[in-house]
Each structure stands twice: as structure tokens, then as C-alpha cells.
Amino acid sequence: MAARTKNPHPVPSVWARQRREPDQPTLSRVSIVREAIAMLDADGIEALSMRKLGARLNAGATSLYRHVATKDELMELAVDEVAAEIHVPDADAPDWRAAVTEAGTAFRATSLRHPWLSSVLGQAGLAYLGPNLMSFSERLAALFTAAGFPEPSRAIDTVLSYVIGMSTTEAAWLTTVARSGESESDFIARLMPAAQEAAAGHEHLAGGYADAAATAADPVALRDEKFRYGLEVVLDGLALRLPG
């Protein structure tokens, strides 16, 4: 019988790799991924390492590597795990715009709960092979197809580009605020005088900073309104692509 040869060009994704039998029954891929997500949420991508994760789980690196071969694979698994939190309405929803808004808002909420998410989408191997991301993509495709879009994948890409872009910026902002130890309102109040001074003499900017100062008491509502406004503009444009 001919000896089996190792594939010289393996697919760079955890979903394409055959799972090995665990050597430590109490340690599972599920527990590893959940602990990694907790570390990512608390301290960000830079703080996550296989060594630190092993210490948190009271497991050696060798045990971890039997479940997850690399940090990139771990990130793939983490991305797919949190993707399960994103709700997409059924394709037979009576109002496609309301349904897409609900899905986009759910994506944003998940990204803000997990500030590292948006910045790593598409970076960790073939991340979209995961079952939760595949389900998310399938439900979006069904929703846009049912709405009548002749090219649903392009409509989806347009919406996700906006949502991911806004979520990445917003998550980075909230991370900066959290590191300051202040509330968002207090952080803005401390920053605003310097921003207004920098904008002085710039006709089209000065007024905007004056308005921002007036609404800084409720920054959460302001961020929500900005997100909804932009998403509505995107959907206005996409609606023009519908036949008839």
C-alpha cells in the first residue's frame, strides 16, 4: 500500500483541517474559544497569545495545539463563534429595508460588544467557512434575493462595507474612551475645547463642533443616530437598483 503523502498546499483554514482527538478530555475546542473571546473582549488582540490562554485554562501549549494549531485558527474560531449573535430576519419579512436595518443594527451591536471583531474580519484565513458565518451569509442572501435584487451579493457587500466600516471606527473610539477611565460624556467634554480651538477659522467645521458640544450629553444617542442616518442613505441608493 502506498504511503500517504502530506498535502504540500493545505487550505489555510481551521474549517478545512481534520480535527484530532483530544488528549485532555476536560479541555475542548469550545472551552478554548470561549476563554479566548473573554480575553479578546477584555484586553484586545494584542494581549491574546496561546501561552496566556493556556495559563488561563490550566493547560499546556501542547494540549491547546491539539485543538487549535495556530493563533490565526483561534481567531477564525472566535470570529465564527460571535457571529452566532448576529440576528438576520427571515427572508419573508414584509419590509426588506426594515429587515436589513435590523440585521445591520445587530451586526453593529455585536461588533461593539466585541470591539476586536470588525478589525479582523477577512484577516484570519478563510474565516467565512465557519458554520455561523455561513448561516449569516445565507440568511442575508435569502433576504436580498426575496427583496428582488438582481445581484444580491453586491447589495450585501455594499451594506456590510458600511456597517463594518462604521463599527470599526466606533469600536476604536469606545476603546480609546475606556482606556481613559472616564465616561464617554466626560471624555468628550474634556476633548471638546481643544477640538473647537483647532476648528476655529475653518468655516465649515467650526459650526459642526459647536453642534457636537451641544449634544455631547448623550453620546450614545448621537452615535445611534449617525449610524441609522448612514444606513438609510445606503438603503436609499440600493432601492434604486430594484427592478421597476
Side-chain angles (χ1 to χ4, degrees):
M1 180 180 295
R4 294 179 62 185
T5 58
K6 187 176 181 180
N7 184 353
H9 302 294
V11 178
S13 173
V14 65
W15 307 109
R17 181 170 59 81
Q18 184 176 1
R19 294 183 63 170
R20 301 174 63 180
E21 291 299 320
D23 63 342
Q24 187 175 337
T26 59
L27 189 66
S28 67
R29 177 182 282 183
V30 171
S31 62
I32 291 171
V33 173
R34 287 178 178 171
E35 191 62 37
I37 291 171
M39 293 178 68
L40 288 165
D41 290 347
D43 301 311
I45 298 171
E46 297 79 8
L48 178 65
S49 69
M50 300 296 276
R51 179 182 60 79
K52 292 179 181 178
L53 180 59
R56 290 266 295 247
L57 292 166
N58 295 317
T62 301
S63 297
L64 290 184
Y65 286 130
R66 291 187 66 85
H67 297 273
V68 183
T70 65
K71 182 178 176 179
D72 283 346
E73 283 196 1
L74 182 60
M75 291 304 302
E76 267 195 282
L77 292 165
V79 167
D80 193 70
E81 181 71 17
V82 300
E85 301 174 18
I86 307 172
H87 173 67
V88 179
D90 292 336
D92 59 0
D95 184 345
W96 73 269
R97 288 184 63 128
V100 173
T101 298
E102 184 177 345
T105 301
F107 195 115
R108 172 185 175 238
T110 300
S111 293
L112 297 186
R113 283 194 299 272
H114 308 287
W116 50 271
L117 174 61
S118 293
S119 64
V120 301
L121 283 173
Q123 294 181 10
L126 301 177
Y128 302 108
L129 292 180
N132 292 323
L133 276 168
M134 292 289 280
S135 176
F136 168 74
S137 298
E138 170 67 14
R139 290 177 68 85
L140 274 183
L143 181 59
F144 277 87
T145 300
F149 284 92
E151 298 174 313
S153 63
R154 294 191 177 184
I156 292 170
D157 288 344
T158 301
V159 171
L160 289 183
S161 293
Y162 169 76
V163 173
I164 293 172
M166 287 291 288
S167 299
T168 301
T169 302
E170 195 172 358
W173 159 255
L174 292 176
T175 298
T176 299
V177 172
R179 288 173 178 168
S180 74
E182 299 176 281
S183 69
E184 189 174 3
S185 295
D186 289 343
F187 186 83
I188 293 173
R190 182 166 59 84
L191 178 65
M192 193 55 64
Q196 290 174 327
E197 182 179 352
H202 297 276
E203 177 184 357
H204 298 289
L205 296 179
Y209 278 105
D211 293 340
T215 59
D218 193 354
V220 175
L222 180 61
R223 288 189 283 105
D224 289 346
E225 192 280 328
K226 284 183 175 180
F227 178 82
R228 285 195 299 270
Y229 175 87
L231 186 54
E232 287 175 4
V233 171
V234 172
L235 297 182
D236 287 344
L238 286 177
L240 300 175
R241 296 283 181 170
L242 285 171

